[in-house]
Amino acid sequence: MRDAFGEIIAAQNLEVPPALIRFHSEPPERSFGVVQVESGHRWARLLARIAGFPPAMAQTRFRLDVAQQGEGHIWRRVFGKYQTRSHLRFDARKGRALERFGPVELELSIQVQQDALLVSVEKARLFGLPLPTALCPESAAMEFETPQGHLGFDISASLPGIGLLVRYSGHIALPDLDLRR
């Protein structure tokens, strides 16, 4: 089953690199790779930890577990000994992905630019209540295919007035997938 980004790619007929099509068409249950994590100042680190993100760390092992749940998927990211979970689903009415981290839900859009999938936060809700633009997280997130055919990523989140909350970049190796199913 396609994940939320796979649904958007299909609905908008976006041309993305093969590694991204492979991953988002049928996300593997478990992927492994490496990641490096950066964090902001003290208050930003506190907010990132509340959201479940790890502290800054040099290159470390990374695991991504994806499990279907209802009409979406649970994404569990494991950064060495730290982990964070979110629920990602496609909202066909809005044509966007909705990702929930505990009480925070983000409405995400995607576009393709120079063979990279760019993910933008369009709206945010806290406990179901819309956040004003001034409090809405900003994202500079992208996925791309590495020269080795891996799924590369560079994900960051910041808040106006606070700055960088977390940035993690790296790649996961993709198993051979049979897309003829």
Side-chain angles (χ1 to χ4, degrees):
M1 176 179 154
R2 287 191 290 238
D3 69 8
F5 295 135
E7 293 291 344
I8 296 171
I9 290 167
Q12 295 181 11
N13 199 27
L14 298 174
E15 291 187 33
V16 299
L20 278 66
I21 291 173
R22 288 176 52 218
F23 181 82
H24 293 296
S25 293
E26 190 172 333
E29 290 180 17
R30 180 162 285 174
S31 304
F32 298 91
V34 295
V35 68
Q36 178 178 337
V37 182
E38 300 172 36
S39 59
H41 62 74
R42 182 175 48 164
W43 295 112
R45 288 192 305 269
L46 176 64
L47 290 173
R49 280 302 297 143
I50 290 170
F53 286 99
M57 60 180 70
Q59 187 170 327
T60 191
R61 296 180 323 273
F62 180 73
R63 188 179 85 218
L64 175 63
D65 298 332
V66 180
Q68 186 176 347
Q69 183 180 63
E71 295 183 15
H73 291 86
I74 297 292
W75 286 48
R76 188 169 137 231
R77 300 157 186 89
V78 182
F79 306 82
K81 65 179 184 174
Y82 300 92
Q83 65 178 309
T84 186
R85 273 177 51 131
S86 68
H87 183 260
L88 185 68
R89 68 181 177 86
F90 176 62
D91 183 329
R93 187 175 56 80
K94 295 179 180 180
R96 293 185 173 160
L98 300 177
E99 187 165 21
R100 178 176 295 278
F101 293 89
V104 176
E105 183 176 71
L106 305 175
E107 190 172 308
L108 308 170
S109 66
I110 64 172
Q111 63 178 325
V112 178
Q113 191 173 54
Q114 298 177 346
D115 285 335
L117 190 68
L118 305 179
V119 181
S120 300
V121 175
E122 300 297 333
K123 296 180 181 178
R125 292 173 196 77
L126 179 63
F127 296 109
L129 300 172
L131 289 176
T133 304
L135 298 176
C136 189
E138 298 170 353
S139 175
M142 75 163 100
E143 295 179 357
F144 52 92
E145 183 171 331
T146 70
Q148 298 79 19
H150 300 315
L151 176 70
F153 53 86
D154 189 346
I155 313 293
S156 69
S158 60
L159 278 176
I162 291 180
L164 179 69
L165 295 174
V166 66
R167 178 181 181 197
Y168 60 96
S169 57
H171 73 270
I172 53 175
L174 298 177
D176 291 329
L177 300 175
D178 183 358
L179 296 179
R180 294 172 290 181
R181 289 188 230 174

